[in-house]
Amino acid sequence: MTDAILQLKKLVDESDNIVFFGGAGVSTESGIKDFRSVDGLYRQKFKYPPETILSHSFYESHTEEFYEFYRTKMLAPDAQPNAAHKKLAQWEREGKLKAVITQNIDGLHQKAGSREVLELHGSVLRNHCLRCGKFYGVEAVAESTGIPRCTCGGIIKPDVVLYEESLDEQVMEKALDYIAGADVLIIGGTSLVVYPAAGLVRYYRGNKLVVINRDATGMDSAARLCISAPIGQVLGQL
């Protein structure tokens, strides 16, 4: 193990109040594209920019085109948890990790066995009819064509937070409480550029901040330990 990995191991071994805050980089090792990297969605050519397609106003005005993009680019039903997801779930079972706070919508943390997962941007696994409120799994959208419809005729909408939509206040408050009360805060797989979610980490009051990310983040200077590497590769060594 490198010195950095040994330092991380020591911090983890000595704590029973760890909180993890993660982003798209946690799932890229599971084959899910992120948005901002060299081969991410924002670098690909589409009829409209992805951030436009994934906005509430585009959803309202170009509903069928939204679902065409969503089905092909936002759903990855065959993706499996990687070493990062599995290690975090293990720490929770061992009573070391209190919560996973994620910006991801893929449900891979739960698939790995994590129970206390706060999904800031919702989940592709939850879908509801806008007319009657009936719940649908991801298959209802993934296996549909055109605009997915409920048995009542209403549109089935994913429970994901689109651009121009507000984050769930209860989820945000709970995440803030976990971060503020954490002994060790591990930030992984995120460059901390998506707000308001990224602003939550600034409520951390401790002195054991760990940042694990391929690129620099705005919290590097405040961290006790920075590791520039893929999160799964790092946690897989512990």
Side-chain angles (χ1 to χ4, degrees), residues 18-58:
I18 302 168
V19 171
F20 179 80
F21 182 95
V26 179
S27 292
T28 51
E29 289 168 273
S30 293
I32 295 178
K33 293 277 189 190
D34 65 1
F35 282 80
R36 294 174 175 78
S37 66
V38 175
D39 59 348
L41 287 178
Y42 283 177
R43 304 296 180 95
Q44 298 177 26
K45 298 293 183 184
F46 300 106
K47 186 177 177 182
Y48 303 94
E51 57 266 48
T52 297
I53 300 173
L54 295 173
S55 67
H56 179 79
S57 54
F58 189 90

Side-chain angles (χ1 to χ4, degrees), residues 25-97:
V26 179
S27 292
T28 51
E29 289 168 273
S30 293
I32 295 178
K33 293 277 189 190
D34 65 1
F35 282 80
R36 294 174 175 78
S37 66
V38 175
D39 59 348
L41 287 178
Y42 283 177
R43 304 296 180 95
Q44 298 177 26
K45 298 293 183 184
F46 300 106
K47 186 177 177 182
Y48 303 94
E51 57 266 48
T52 297
I53 300 173
L54 295 173
S55 67
H56 179 79
S57 54
F58 189 90
Y59 172 83
E60 292 284 335
S61 60
H62 298 75
T63 309
E64 191 163 345
E65 287 177 273
F66 167 87
Y67 279 105
E68 183 181 346
F69 178 89
Y70 181 85
R71 267 190 293 267
T72 57
K73 298 299 181 182
M74 303 304 292
L75 299 181
D78 297 326
Q80 297 299 319
N82 60 54
H85 299 105
K86 293 173 184 176
K87 182 58 68 173
L88 293 167
Q90 177 191 324
W91 288 345
E92 184 182 30
R93 288 193 301 272
E94 294 171 349
K96 303 187 74 59
L97 183 129

